[in-house]
Amino acid sequence: MIKNITALISAGVLLAICMFLFFPYPNNPLIGATITFMSFPIQNEDGFVWKGIVATTIFLIAMALLIYGLKKFYVVAAVLVLFLYALLPGYLVTAYQKTFASGIGAISYDQNGECTFDTVEDNVRMKGECELTLKNHSSKPVTFELEFMDTGFGSEEAKMESLMNIAGPYTMTVEGNRTEFIELNEFLDISDVTDHIYSGSSSDVHFKLIEKNKERIF
């Protein structure tokens, strides 16, 4: 079954390097990415992400070495590796958060947040509504500040999610071993804000958690 053990070992080492370069903890490496491959950002609003392109190249070389190193069942092995590579980081992060992590390091986000904005008085007031779900994997309560971030194409031209920070800072606590649904409804004074949207919604909500001198970006 094994044709070249050196090729298989090299494939494993290269895959580990790729996972290390873009491991999804403590921050989300895909924030702002417009083109991705596996867990690698290829392009964002600023252009090509060369680190992501290099990691993609290394990943493809690793897969080629994996296939070369096997006499048979290499297609099955390649599919299995792709499947494990996609799922393993998430399981490793969850296992770490349940055992060793503390504070905001133990918080996870389901990536399903939504925000909606509507102008109620032209260039004066706007209604903003955001919903997101956070989970505290530790046994102790975690208190932090939440700050919204603009991401994706257009974030430099028109403020959207970050408008919610006008009513901030949002200080909140998630109790130990609990999933918390967070719903924010605010009337925002936008009279002094330039380059903002007039209405719209986003299902790609990203934010920053701040705890004393620590930060995490989701």
Side-chain angles (χ1 to χ4, degrees):
M1 182 176 177
I2 296 177
K3 181 170 66 175
N4 191 316
I5 187 64
T6 301
L8 292 179
I9 294 174
S10 299
V13 171
L14 293 178
L15 288 171
I17 291 173
C18 290
M19 188 176 295
F20 173 78
L21 287 175
F22 288 98
F23 196 71
Y25 185 90
N27 299 318
N28 182 349
L30 297 180
I31 290 178
T34 54
I35 299 177
T36 64
F37 174 79
M38 296 297 288
S39 60
F40 315 127
I42 304 300
Q43 186 177 23
N44 58 25
E45 61 267 25
D46 297 321
F48 289 108
V49 181
W50 295 108
K51 183 180 175 182
I53 294 174
V54 170
T56 299
T57 303
I58 294 174
F59 183 86
L60 294 176
I61 293 173
M63 294 303 296
L65 288 171
L66 173 69
I67 293 172
Y68 173 76
L70 295 173
K71 289 182 179 179
K72 55 182 179 179
F73 303 124
Y74 45 82
V75 174
V76 175
V79 172
L80 181 61
V81 167
L82 289 173
F83 184 75
L84 290 176
Y85 190 90
L87 295 180
L88 186 59
Y91 282 110
L92 291 176
V93 171
T94 300
Y96 173 75
Q97 289 184 313
K98 288 182 176 181
T99 52
F100 301 109
S102 62
I104 57 175
I107 300 294
S108 65
Y109 169 47
D110 66 359
Q111 304 293 328
N112 292 322
E114 296 182 349
C115 286
T116 303
F117 298 90
D118 291 295
T119 301
V120 292
E121 294 180 46
D122 192 26
N123 289 324
V124 179
R125 298 179 75 207
M126 175 176 286
K127 183 179 181 182
E129 301 179 355
C130 286
E131 299 177 349
L132 53 96
T133 301
L134 301 178
K135 183 174 182 178
N136 180 5
H137 293 275
S138 71
S139 59
K140 297 181 179 180
V142 180
T143 300
F144 50 82
E145 288 187 0
L146 186 148
E147 178 182 314
F148 287 92
M149 301 170 58
D150 291 318
T151 55
F153 278 123
S155 62
E156 294 299 322
E157 290 84 13
K159 295 180 177 63
M160 189 173 183
E161 294 93 337
S162 66
L163 292 172
M164 292 295 291
N165 297 330
I166 295 173
Y170 299 99
T171 301
M172 53 191 67
T173 299
V174 180
E175 298 297 328
N177 296 314
R178 181 173 297 180
T179 299
E180 191 79 26
F181 176 72
I182 297 169
E183 185 174 15
L184 301 172
N185 296 283
E186 305 287 351
F187 283 97
L188 309 169
D189 182 356
I190 57 173
S191 57
D192 295 327
V193 181
T194 58
D195 301 326
H196 60 78
I197 64 166
Y198 288 89
S199 65
S201 61
S202 172
S203 58
D204 186 27
V205 178
H206 297 285
F207 51 88
K208 180 188 299 183
L209 297 188
I210 304 169
E211 181 190 30
K212 297 179 181 178
N213 61 339
K214 295 189 297 183
E215 293 183 355
R216 283 188 65 198
I217 297 175
F218 291 83

